[in-house]
Each structure stands twice: as structure tokens, then as C-alpha cells.
């Protein structure tokens, strides 16, 4: 019984991980409520998922809040910009479908494609923001480059995002709000697997740091 209650026991570690997943999901949902904060909240979601859930480095609340504050302006800019694009495309779709013209189907496809491209673009934007200190224009260019260069990974990321959104939507519809405190944290941890494979290819290789004893100091994402 005493061994079972030890913090390093596999059962206790598993329970701790489950708690962290739920806590991260809850923080993400709460911070997304103001709408304008969806961008920095999504950035903090990825940052905390890789640093705390995957690397066991730090605590969920502290790391989430740290990343949220540090990337608020740029994250909000990305979030608001993409929200406006989605809103505009949805408005245009409603307009063209109500007109029933010969171009309605074509324009409908065009607007849906624009929303899809925006989503694929955002699949990389927030993880890039969480890892690199860049201007918004630099983030846009790098995200676009990654999206096209790593196309297979882009598809995988999109599937994870789509499954997460549909899971939360249908879970809420059928009266299972518990999915809201499970899916964001769990799916973000899954999301880090293909995303980190890509990000590691863009990390600087020649900026090594050493302590006073001459030992190399590794960043948390290299541990």
C-alpha cells in the first residue's frame, strides 16, 4: 500500500498525467471564452503540451500562463485575423448559395478552399509562435513554407485538429461536456508528435551553451 502511494509509482504517475491533461484542457477552454484570446490560448496549449505533458518539465498552470502572456499580442493578431477570414468566407458562402446563380457552386468551392488553407496554415503558426521569437510576418512566411514542404505532416495535423473539433462539438451536442476537459489536452499531446518532428528540423544547431563545469546545457525541448 505504501509503494502504491509513492509519487514515482507508475499508477500515481499515470493519474498525475491524466490530471494534467484535464487541467490543461480546462485552462484552454476558459481562456478561449473571450474569443480574442483564442490565438494566445492555442499557442499556450501547444507549449504546455510539449513542455509539461511530454517532457515533464514544469507545471501546467505556470507554463500555460507564462506562454499566454509572452505571446499575447502576436497570438491575438493571428487569432483575430484568422477569425475574420473564417467569418468573411462563411458570409460569402451564405450569400452565393442564396443567389442560386451558375457561379454559386464554383464560388462555394473557392471559399471552402480558402477556409481549408487558412486552417492548414494555422496548424503551423501557433506551434512556431510558441517556439520561436519572430515577428508575425516571419511566422506567416515560415508557416506557409512548412505547410507546403511537409505536406504529409500537414494532412496528419489537419486530421488531428478536425477530429478534436468534431469530438468536442458532437460531445457537447449529445450531452457529454466531459469531452471539453479531455480532448484539448489529450489531442494537443498527440499533436506534438508530428509537429515536433518538423520543428526540430528548424532549430539552430550551432548555439550550444555550457555551464561552469563545461557540461552542455540543453534546452527543455531537446531533453
Amino acid at each position: 500500500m505504501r509503494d502504491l502511494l509513492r509519487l514515482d509509482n507508475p499508477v500515481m504517475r499515470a493519474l498525475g498525467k491524466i490530471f494534467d491533461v484535464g487541467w490543461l484542457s480546462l485552462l484552454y477552454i476558459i481562456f478561449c471564452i473571450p474569443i480574442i484570446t483564442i490565438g494566445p490560448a492555442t499557442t499556450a496549449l501547444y507549449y504546455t503540451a510539449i513542455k509539461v505533458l511530454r517532457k515533464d518539465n514544469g507545471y501546467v498552470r505556470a507554463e500555460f500562463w507564462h506562454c499566454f502572456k509572452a505571446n499575447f499580442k502576436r497570438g491575438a493578431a493571428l487569432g483575430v485575423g484568422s477569425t475574420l477570414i473564417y467569418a468573411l468566407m462563411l458570409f460569402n458562402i451564405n450569400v452565393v448559395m442564396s443567389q442560386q446563380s451558375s457561379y454559386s457552386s464554383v464560388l462555394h468551392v473557392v471559399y471552402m478552399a480558402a477556409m481549408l488553407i487558412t486552417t492548414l496554415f494555422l496548424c503551423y503558426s501557433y506551434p512556431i509562435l510558441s517556439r520561436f521569437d519572430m515577428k508575425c510576418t516571419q511566422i506567416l512566411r515560415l508557416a506557409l513554407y512548412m505547410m507546403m514542404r511537409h505536406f504529409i505532416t500537414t494532412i496528419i495535423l489537419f486530421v488531428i485538429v478536425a477530429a478534436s473539433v468534431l469530438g468536442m462539438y458532437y460531445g457537447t451536442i449529445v450531452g457529454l461536456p466531459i469531452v471539453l476537459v479531455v480532448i484539448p489536452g489529450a489531442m494537443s499531446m498527440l499533436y506534438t508528435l508530428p509537429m515536433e518532428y518538423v520543428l526540430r528540423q528548424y532549430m539552430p544547431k550551432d548555439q550550444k551553451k555550457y555551464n561552469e563545469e563545461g557540461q552542455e546545457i540543453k534546452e527543455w525541448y531537446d531533453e
Side-chain angles (χ1 to χ4, degrees):
M1 184 65 180
R2 182 179 300 175
D3 291 338
L4 184 62
L5 296 178
R6 291 175 55 186
L7 294 179
D8 59 347
N9 183 280
V11 175
M12 295 300 293
R13 288 202 302 267
L15 291 176
K17 188 70 67 176
I18 293 173
F19 175 82
D20 286 343
V21 167
W23 184 213
L24 177 58
S25 298
L26 185 60
L27 284 174
Y28 178 66
I29 296 298
I30 292 174
F31 277 77
C32 280
I33 292 177
I35 304 299
I36 193 175
T37 58
I38 290 178
T42 304
T43 305
L45 175 67
Y46 181 85
Y47 177 86
T48 309
I50 180 62
K51 184 172 184 180
V52 180
L53 299 186
R54 285 278 311 280
K55 302 294 185 178
D56 293 319
N57 194 324
Y59 299 93
V60 169
R61 185 187 64 81
E63 299 301 337
F64 186 95
W65 180 240
H66 164 75
C67 184
F68 183 88
K69 290 191 301 181
N71 299 288
F72 181 81
K73 290 183 179 180
R74 290 170 296 174
L78 289 172
V80 171
S82 58
T83 299
L84 292 176
I85 291 176
Y86 286 131
L88 179 60
M89 294 302 103
L90 289 173
F91 175 79
N92 289 340
I93 289 174
N94 289 330
V95 171
V96 298
M97 294 307 293
S98 64
Q99 293 178 346
Q100 298 297 326
S101 66
S102 57
Y103 298 102
S104 295
S105 298
V106 176
L107 291 175
H108 183 222
V109 173
V110 170
Y111 295 141
M112 289 296 293
M115 294 176 65
L116 175 61
I117 293 174
T118 301
T119 302
L120 298 179
F121 172 81
L122 291 175
C123 285
Y124 290 96
S125 299
Y126 295 123
I128 290 173
L129 177 58
S130 75
R131 183 64 54 82
F132 301 105
D133 185 14
M134 291 181 170
K135 297 179 180 179
C136 285
T137 53
Q138 295 174 316
I139 294 174
L140 300 181
R141 289 198 296 266
L142 182 56
L144 182 61
Y145 176 75
M146 287 182 175
M147 182 185 76
M148 295 186 295
R149 179 184 177 186
H150 308 280
F151 187 71
I152 300 299
T153 303
T154 301
I155 299 302
I156 296 173
L157 296 175
F158 175 75
V159 170
I160 295 175
V161 171
S164 302
V165 173
L166 291 175
M168 289 189 290
Y169 175 75
Y170 285 110
T172 304
I173 292 298
V174 300
L176 290 175
I178 188 65
V179 299
L180 297 178
V181 293
V182 175
I183 291 181
M187 296 303 280
S188 63
M189 187 162 58
L190 176 63
Y191 193 91
T192 64
L193 296 176
M195 189 69 244
E196 284 300 302
Y197 173 77
V198 173
L199 285 180
R200 281 196 295 268
Q201 300 179 41
Y202 297 85
M203 299 303 299
K205 305 297 183 181
D206 56 348
Q207 296 183 3
K208 296 183 179 181
K209 299 178 181 179
Y210 300 89
N211 58 23
E212 296 179 354
E213 299 177 354
Q215 297 175 332
E216 182 181 350
I217 302 175
K218 292 187 176 181
E219 297 286 357
W220 60 265
Y221 43 75
D222 288 329
E223 295 176 349

